[in-house]
Amino acid sequence: MQNSIVARSHTSQPLPTTVWLPSPDEPNAAPIPGAVLPAWALDKIRTDFVGRPLHRPLPLLKIAIRDTAPGMDARIPTTPFTTPAANEDGTKRPSILLAELHPDTLPAPSGDLPSDGRGMPGALEDGWPGFFHRAHQLLPADGLLLLATRQRREAGRLTDPLGMLIASARTAGFRYLQHIVVVYGRAAGDRLVPAAPADTSRGVVHCDLIALSAIRHA
């Protein structure tokens, strides 16, 4: 598997899925309980994701979404990752919003998840469209919204939220850029040794990172 850096693209050509693996000497390949992204992946986003010169860390605001009930914004933990004051970007507002979506945020569906985001039960139908519209207002033109989530297994079947989330984001004014698979494990020769956290569903050894760009119309 090959690591690669994602560059912003304004073409209509399909973009490939990228696979990220931790370095061989990374001691913590999996995220801490309750998180979706491992720490090494967060570091990679800030230094490598958009091809920063000299790997200077990019300003970033990380939020953790654990419910979509009314008033969700007031309960979302936020973690700003800024740059040193001497850095030319140190005083600028974050141009990347990283939203970690814990799989428990999604209710267990009675059927397949609709790809257009309609018909979702309860607070999800109201919560996600509003969240994407507020994120779109927060970010500057071409600002990046990153969604980190993963599948979960309910009654033997996997639930994958990506289609619904991407559809809701597009409706709010975002352009889909890239899908990155962040592996919970290490490469050992021609094998992959899983290192999944305790709070993942059985058989899930990766999370998904979706990159979206805010569109501004003149």
Side-chain angles (χ1 to χ4, degrees), residues 14-218:
L15 294 172
T17 298
T18 301
V19 178
W20 282 3
L21 285 166
S23 62
D25 58 349
E26 171 57 50
N28 300 307
I32 62 174
V36 177
L37 284 171
W40 63 264
L42 183 60
D43 291 339
K44 188 173 179 66
I45 289 170
R46 296 195 64 215
T47 58
D48 296 0
F49 187 78
V50 289
R52 295 281 289 170
L54 302 178
H55 295 286
R56 292 175 181 169
L58 190 72
L60 176 148
L61 179 63
K62 177 177 172 289
I63 63 177
I65 302 177
R66 297 188 177 96
D67 77 87
T68 51
M72 59 182 284
D73 287 1
R75 295 185 299 276
I76 294 177
T78 62
T79 306
F81 293 87
T82 59
T83 55
N87 190 292
E88 61 181 3
D89 292 329
T91 59
K92 294 182 179 179
R93 66 171 176 169
S95 58
I96 295 183
L97 177 62
L98 169 61
E100 277 197 332
L101 165 61
H102 195 276
D104 290 345
T105 305
L106 292 173
S110 57
D112 292 334
L113 283 171
S115 60
D116 59 4
R118 296 194 300 266
M120 293 302 297
L124 186 62
E125 183 175 5
D126 300 324
W128 282 116
F131 164 75
F132 284 117
H133 281 287
R134 292 190 294 275
H136 189 268
Q137 293 173 353
L138 175 67
L139 290 168
D142 292 328
L144 292 179
L145 172 62
L146 306 180
L147 301 177
T149 187
R150 60 175 180 251
Q151 299 170 329
R152 72 172 183 177
R153 189 180 299 275
E154 291 288 342
R157 62 180 301 187
L158 284 175
T159 296
D160 189 343
L162 294 185
M164 180 273 295
L165 292 173
I166 292 172
S168 294
R170 281 174 165 164
T171 300
F174 285 96
R175 177 190 296 112
Y176 169 73
L177 296 179
Q178 182 72 27
H179 174 200
I180 301 169
V181 174
V182 180
V183 177
Y184 298 158
R186 297 181 178 84
D190 59 354
R191 298 183 301 109
L192 182 64
V193 180
D199 61 346
T200 56
S201 296
R202 180 177 56 84
V204 175
V205 292
H206 77 278
C207 68
D208 299 288
L209 183 64
I210 300 300
L212 305 143
S213 176
I215 303 172
R216 289 283 188 270
H217 298 288

